[in-house]
Tab-separated table of all heavy atoms in Angstrom:
chain	number	residue	atom	x	y	z
X	1468	MET	N	19.314	-48.995	-12.763
X	1468	MET	CA	18.979	-49.748	-11.575
X	1468	MET	C	18.200	-51.004	-11.953
X	1468	MET	O	16.974	-51.000	-12.008
X	1468	MET	CB	18.081	-48.870	-10.646
X	1468	MET	CG	18.774	-47.623	-10.190
X	1468	MET	SD	17.782	-46.582	-9.109
X	1468	MET	CE	16.155	-46.567	-9.861
X	1469	PRO	N	18.913	-52.066	-12.216
X	1469	PRO	CA	18.223	-53.321	-12.584
X	1469	PRO	C	17.462	-53.855	-11.382
X	1469	PRO	O	17.775	-53.511	-10.260
X	1469	PRO	CB	19.356	-54.225	-13.028
X	1469	PRO	CG	20.545	-53.715	-12.332
X	1469	PRO	CD	20.351	-52.228	-12.177
X	1470	PRO	N	16.480	-54.724	-11.630
X	1470	PRO	CA	15.711	-55.284	-10.508
X	1470	PRO	C	16.612	-56.159	-9.620
X	1470	PRO	O	17.687	-56.589	-10.038
X	1470	PRO	CB	14.622	-56.075	-11.177
X	1470	PRO	CG	15.085	-56.295	-12.581
X	1470	PRO	CD	16.002	-55.179	-12.921
X	1471	ALA	N	16.138	-56.425	-8.434
X	1471	ALA	CA	16.910	-57.234	-7.460
X	1471	ALA	C	17.215	-58.619	-7.984
X	1471	ALA	O	18.263	-59.195	-7.670
X	1471	ALA	CB	16.123	-57.336	-6.166
X	1472	ASP	N	16.356	-59.185	-8.830
X	1472	ASP	CA	16.566	-60.536	-9.334
X	1472	ASP	C	17.279	-60.556	-10.703
X	1472	ASP	O	17.297	-61.568	-11.388
X	1472	ASP	CB	15.255	-61.275	-9.415
X	1472	ASP	CG	14.256	-60.615	-10.372
X	1472	ASP	OD1	14.510	-59.461	-10.773
X	1472	ASP	OD2	13.259	-61.249	-10.755
X	1473	ALA	N	17.905	-59.439	-11.067
X	1473	ALA	CA	18.563	-59.357	-12.381
X	1473	ALA	C	19.812	-60.262	-12.424
X	1473	ALA	O	20.455	-60.524	-11.406
X	1473	ALA	CB	19.029	-57.907	-12.649
X	1474	ALA	N	20.112	-60.739	-13.626
X	1474	ALA	CA	21.287	-61.573	-13.834
X	1474	ALA	C	22.533	-60.710	-13.638
X	1474	ALA	O	22.510	-59.471	-13.765
X	1474	ALA	CB	21.239	-62.160	-15.258
X	1475	ASP	N	23.681	-61.355	-13.356
X	1475	ASP	CA	24.920	-60.630	-13.164
X	1475	ASP	C	25.288	-59.794	-14.358
X	1475	ASP	O	25.798	-58.669	-14.182
X	1475	ASP	CB	26.061	-61.630	-12.854
X	1475	ASP	CG	25.924	-62.299	-11.496
X	1475	ASP	OD1	25.164	-61.760	-10.636
X	1475	ASP	OD2	26.575	-63.297	-11.226
X	1476	ALA	N	25.012	-60.273	-15.558
X	1476	ALA	CA	25.357	-59.520	-16.750
X	1476	ALA	C	24.577	-58.196	-16.837
X	1476	ALA	O	25.126	-57.168	-17.243
X	1476	ALA	CB	25.067	-60.359	-17.986
X	1477	GLU	N	23.315	-58.247	-16.410
X	1477	GLU	CA	22.475	-57.028	-16.418
X	1477	GLU	C	22.983	-56.032	-15.339
X	1477	GLU	O	23.001	-54.817	-15.595
X	1477	GLU	CB	21.048	-57.359	-16.167
X	1477	GLU	CG	20.078	-56.206	-16.409
X	1477	GLU	CD	18.601	-56.550	-16.283
X	1477	GLU	OE1	18.279	-57.728	-16.077
X	1477	GLU	OE2	17.819	-55.625	-16.401
X	1478	VAL	N	23.406	-56.523	-14.225
X	1478	VAL	CA	23.936	-55.671	-13.164
X	1478	VAL	C	25.243	-55.019	-13.647
X	1478	VAL	O	25.445	-53.805	-13.452
X	1478	VAL	CB	24.165	-56.449	-11.852
X	1478	VAL	CG1	24.894	-55.615	-10.814
X	1478	VAL	CG2	22.849	-56.962	-11.304
X	1479	GLU	N	26.124	-55.799	-14.243
X	1479	GLU	CA	27.380	-55.266	-14.786
X	1479	GLU	C	27.125	-54.200	-15.868
X	1479	GLU	O	27.808	-53.190	-15.898
X	1479	GLU	CB	28.246	-56.379	-15.331
X	1479	GLU	CG	28.846	-57.265	-14.270
X	1479	GLU	CD	29.598	-58.449	-14.824
X	1479	GLU	OE1	29.994	-58.401	-16.030
X	1479	GLU	OE2	29.789	-59.441	-14.081
X	1480	LEU	N	26.125	-54.439	-16.706
X	1480	LEU	CA	25.781	-53.501	-17.752
X	1480	LEU	C	25.277	-52.203	-17.146
X	1480	LEU	O	25.595	-51.103	-17.611
X	1480	LEU	CB	24.757	-54.096	-18.726
X	1480	LEU	CG	24.347	-53.208	-19.892
X	1480	LEU	CD1	25.592	-52.885	-20.757
X	1480	LEU	CD2	23.291	-53.886	-20.739
X	1481	ALA	N	24.452	-52.294	-16.089
X	1481	ALA	CA	23.964	-51.105	-15.393
X	1481	ALA	C	25.141	-50.301	-14.792
X	1481	ALA	O	25.144	-49.071	-14.836
X	1481	ALA	CB	22.948	-51.478	-14.373
X	1482	GLU	N	26.087	-51.037	-14.196
X	1482	GLU	CA	27.256	-50.363	-13.597
X	1482	GLU	C	28.057	-49.646	-14.689
X	1482	GLU	O	28.516	-48.509	-14.539
X	1482	GLU	CB	28.137	-51.343	-12.861
X	1482	GLU	CG	27.505	-51.866	-11.567
X	1482	GLU	CD	28.258	-52.998	-10.950
X	1482	GLU	OE1	29.276	-53.479	-11.532
X	1482	GLU	OE2	27.898	-53.435	-9.865
X	1483	LYS	N	28.220	-50.296	-15.844
X	1483	LYS	CA	28.944	-49.716	-16.951
X	1483	LYS	C	28.191	-48.480	-17.489
X	1483	LYS	O	28.811	-47.437	-17.782
X	1483	LYS	CB	29.111	-50.702	-18.069
X	1483	LYS	CG	29.905	-50.248	-19.266
X	1483	LYS	CD	30.034	-51.277	-20.360
X	1483	LYS	CE	30.719	-50.704	-21.564
X	1483	LYS	NZ	30.756	-51.630	-22.671
X	1484	THR	N	26.876	-48.600	-17.588
X	1484	THR	CA	26.069	-47.454	-18.041
X	1484	THR	C	26.210	-46.281	-17.127
X	1484	THR	O	26.356	-45.137	-17.534
X	1484	THR	CB	24.564	-47.910	-18.158
X	1484	THR	OG1	24.479	-48.935	-19.122
X	1484	THR	CG2	23.696	-46.717	-18.570
X	1485	THR	N	26.152	-46.574	-15.813
X	1485	THR	CA	26.319	-45.497	-14.826
X	1485	THR	C	27.682	-44.814	-14.929
X	1485	THR	O	27.738	-43.562	-14.940
X	1485	THR	CB	26.096	-46.074	-13.372
X	1485	THR	OG1	24.787	-46.629	-13.294
X	1485	THR	CG2	26.255	-44.991	-12.323
X	1486	ARG	N	28.709	-45.599	-15.035
X	1486	ARG	CA	30.071	-45.031	-15.166
X	1486	ARG	C	30.214	-44.208	-16.456
X	1486	ARG	O	30.753	-43.078	-16.393
X	1486	ARG	CB	31.108	-46.152	-15.123
X	1486	ARG	CG	31.403	-46.702	-13.743
X	1486	ARG	CD	32.637	-47.578	-13.707
X	1486	ARG	NE	32.641	-48.653	-14.703
X	1486	ARG	CZ	32.113	-49.868	-14.510
X	1486	ARG	NH1	31.560	-50.139	-13.314
X	1486	ARG	NH2	32.124	-50.798	-15.439
X	1487	SER	N	29.726	-44.713	-17.555
X	1487	SER	CA	29.878	-43.987	-18.803
X	1487	SER	C	29.034	-42.687	-18.809
X	1487	SER	O	29.458	-41.665	-19.321
X	1487	SER	CB	29.532	-44.844	-20.008
X	1487	SER	OG	28.199	-45.217	-20.019
X	1488	THR	N	27.857	-42.767	-18.175
X	1488	THR	CA	27.001	-41.574	-18.067
X	1488	THR	C	27.683	-40.520	-17.179
X	1488	THR	O	27.668	-39.330	-17.538
X	1488	THR	CB	25.616	-41.965	-17.539
X	1488	THR	OG1	25.047	-42.934	-18.406
X	1488	THR	CG2	24.694	-40.713	-17.485
X	1489	GLN	N	28.254	-40.971	-16.076
X	1489	GLN	CA	28.986	-40.001	-15.198
X	1489	GLN	C	30.141	-39.413	-15.979
X	1489	GLN	O	30.400	-38.184	-15.784
X	1489	GLN	CB	29.471	-40.741	-13.955
X	1489	GLN	CG	28.331	-41.057	-12.982
X	1489	GLN	CD	28.819	-41.975	-11.853
X	1489	GLN	OE1	29.802	-42.688	-11.927
X	1489	GLN	NE2	28.046	-41.944	-10.775
X	1490	ALA	N	30.813	-40.166	-16.785
X	1490	ALA	CA	31.937	-39.621	-17.581
X	1490	ALA	C	31.429	-38.586	-18.577
X	1490	ALA	O	32.072	-37.548	-18.770
X	1490	ALA	CB	32.680	-40.751	-18.310
X	1491	LEU	N	30.278	-38.849	-19.219
X	1491	LEU	CA	29.715	-37.891	-20.149
X	1491	LEU	C	29.313	-36.580	-19.413
X	1491	LEU	O	29.556	-35.461	-19.899
X	1491	LEU	CB	28.485	-38.460	-20.829
X	1491	LEU	CG	28.746	-39.473	-21.940
X	1491	LEU	CD1	27.442	-40.167	-22.317
X	1491	LEU	CD2	29.377	-38.802	-23.117
X	1492	ILE	N	28.750	-36.716	-18.230
X	1492	ILE	CA	28.374	-35.540	-17.459
X	1492	ILE	C	29.598	-34.764	-17.032
X	1492	ILE	O	29.621	-33.534	-17.120
X	1492	ILE	CB	27.518	-35.966	-16.220
X	1492	ILE	CG1	26.165	-36.512	-16.686
X	1492	ILE	CG2	27.325	-34.772	-15.265
X	1492	ILE	CD1	25.375	-37.229	-15.590
X	1493	ASP	N	30.637	-35.453	-16.610
X	1493	ASP	CA	31.914	-34.798	-16.262
X	1493	ASP	C	32.453	-34.025	-17.431
X	1493	ASP	O	32.955	-32.899	-17.317
X	1493	ASP	CB	32.951	-35.823	-15.787
X	1493	ASP	CG	32.588	-36.396	-14.399
X	1493	ASP	OD1	31.722	-35.816	-13.739
X	1493	ASP	OD2	33.235	-37.405	-14.049
X	1494	LYS	N	32.461	-34.668	-18.626
X	1494	LYS	CA	32.948	-33.990	-19.810
X	1494	LYS	C	32.174	-32.708	-20.145
X	1494	LYS	O	32.771	-31.658	-20.416
X	1494	LYS	CB	32.891	-34.983	-20.999
X	1494	LYS	CG	33.477	-34.486	-22.271
X	1494	LYS	CD	34.941	-34.516	-22.202
X	1494	LYS	CE	35.547	-34.420	-23.611
X	1494	LYS	NZ	36.982	-34.442	-23.588
X	1495	VAL	N	30.864	-32.793	-20.168
X	1495	VAL	CA	30.034	-31.624	-20.430
X	1495	VAL	C	30.241	-30.559	-19.370
X	1495	VAL	O	30.367	-29.397	-19.644
X	1495	VAL	CB	28.525	-32.017	-20.506
X	1495	VAL	CG1	27.627	-30.768	-20.576
X	1495	VAL	CG2	28.290	-32.902	-21.716
X	1496	SER	N	30.399	-30.971	-18.112
X	1496	SER	CA	30.602	-30.043	-17.011
X	1496	SER	C	31.954	-29.333	-17.157
X	1496	SER	O	32.073	-28.128	-16.832
X	1496	SER	CB	30.590	-30.727	-15.672
X	1496	SER	OG	29.322	-31.289	-15.427
X	1497	SER	N	32.960	-30.019	-17.676
X	1497	SER	CA	34.285	-29.402	-17.841
X	1497	SER	C	34.267	-28.426	-19.044
X	1497	SER	O	34.905	-27.379	-19.012
X	1497	SER	CB	35.372	-30.445	-18.032
X	1497	SER	OG	35.197	-31.164	-19.232
X	1498	VAL	N	33.440	-28.743	-20.074
X	1498	VAL	CA	33.364	-27.877	-21.223
X	1498	VAL	C	32.646	-26.536	-20.836
X	1498	VAL	O	33.001	-25.463	-21.258
X	1498	VAL	CB	32.615	-28.541	-22.370
X	1498	VAL	CG1	32.266	-27.543	-23.474
X	1498	VAL	CG2	33.455	-29.704	-22.937
X	1499	TYR	N	31.629	-26.649	-19.982
X	1499	TYR	CA	30.860	-25.490	-19.549
X	1499	TYR	C	31.201	-25.181	-18.072
X	1499	TYR	O	30.299	-24.873	-17.266
X	1499	TYR	CB	29.358	-25.726	-19.731
X	1499	TYR	CG	29.031	-25.959	-21.164
X	1499	TYR	CD1	28.690	-27.241	-21.620
X	1499	TYR	CD2	29.095	-24.915	-22.107
X	1499	TYR	CE1	28.366	-27.466	-22.966
X	1499	TYR	CE2	28.801	-25.140	-23.443
X	1499	TYR	CZ	28.447	-26.411	-23.850
X	1499	TYR	OH	28.142	-26.635	-25.175
X	1500	ALA	N	32.443	-25.180	-17.719
X	1500	ALA	CA	32.848	-24.997	-16.308
X	1500	ALA	C	32.541	-23.599	-15.792
X	1500	ALA	O	32.475	-23.387	-14.622
X	1500	ALA	CB	34.332	-25.286	-16.189
X	1501	ASN	N	32.387	-22.641	-16.691
X	1501	ASN	CA	32.083	-21.275	-16.270
X	1501	ASN	C	30.611	-20.994	-15.981
X	1501	ASN	O	30.233	-19.891	-15.733
X	1501	ASN	CB	32.588	-20.286	-17.303
X	1501	ASN	CG	31.883	-20.438	-18.621
X	1501	ASN	OD1	31.394	-21.532	-18.939
X	1501	ASN	ND2	31.853	-19.419	-19.426
X	1502	SER	N	29.776	-22.093	-16.032
X	1502	SER	CA	28.378	-21.913	-15.773
X	1502	SER	C	27.891	-23.070	-14.947
X	1502	SER	O	28.656	-23.682	-14.214
X	1502	SER	CB	27.591	-21.779	-17.080
X	1502	SER	OG	27.729	-22.948	-17.829
X	1503	ARG	N	26.616	-23.365	-15.008
X	1503	ARG	CA	26.040	-24.470	-14.242
X	1503	ARG	C	25.553	-25.567	-15.202
X	1503	ARG	O	25.201	-25.279	-16.345
X	1503	ARG	CB	24.858	-23.973	-13.418
X	1503	ARG	CG	25.311	-23.041	-12.342
X	1503	ARG	CD	24.103	-22.446	-11.613
X	1503	ARG	NE	24.515	-21.561	-10.554
X	1503	ARG	CZ	24.806	-20.309	-10.624
X	1503	ARG	NH1	24.731	-19.747	-11.854
X	1503	ARG	NH2	25.134	-19.576	-9.642
X	1504	VAL	N	25.504	-26.780	-14.719
X	1504	VAL	CA	25.018	-27.909	-15.503
X	1504	VAL	C	23.824	-28.569	-14.751
X	1504	VAL	O	23.947	-28.848	-13.566
X	1504	VAL	CB	26.138	-28.956	-15.747
X	1504	VAL	CG1	25.590	-30.165	-16.438
X	1504	VAL	CG2	27.264	-28.311	-16.592
X	1505	LEU	N	22.748	-28.768	-15.441
X	1505	LEU	CA	21.585	-29.443	-14.853
X	1505	LEU	C	21.424	-30.751	-15.649
X	1505	LEU	O	21.362	-30.709	-16.896
X	1505	LEU	CB	20.323	-28.599	-14.969
X	1505	LEU	CG	19.016	-29.287	-14.646
X	1505	LEU	CD1	18.953	-29.582	-13.165
X	1505	LEU	CD2	17.843	-28.441	-15.088
X	1506	VAL	N	21.369	-31.860	-14.948
X	1506	VAL	CA	21.191	-33.155	-15.591
X	1506	VAL	C	19.776	-33.608	-15.330
X	1506	VAL	O	19.343	-33.598	-14.178
X	1506	VAL	CB	22.217	-34.167	-15.050
X	1506	VAL	CG1	21.984	-35.555	-15.683
X	1506	VAL	CG2	23.605	-33.704	-15.319
């Protein structure tokens, strides 16, 4: 969550970080699908 006055590049990097983190969480969740995942 970059600050409101962040440059466009920082906002794009935050969006990329969020997407890649969600992908990592999805991957771990699929590996351990028979249980629960706490992030």
Side-chain angles (χ1 to χ4, degrees):
M1468 300 180 316
D1472 61 346
D1475 290 343
E1477 189 175 357
V1478 172
E1479 288 175 21
L1480 182 60
E1482 289 172 355
K1483 181 180 176 187
T1484 299
T1485 301
R1486 283 193 305 272
S1487 65
T1488 303
Q1489 288 171 337
L1491 285 168
I1492 293 167
D1493 289 347
K1494 183 76 163 180
V1495 170
S1496 297
S1497 67
V1498 169
Y1499 299 107
N1501 62 334
S1502 63
R1503 293 174 177 87
V1504 175
L1505 171 68
V1506 177

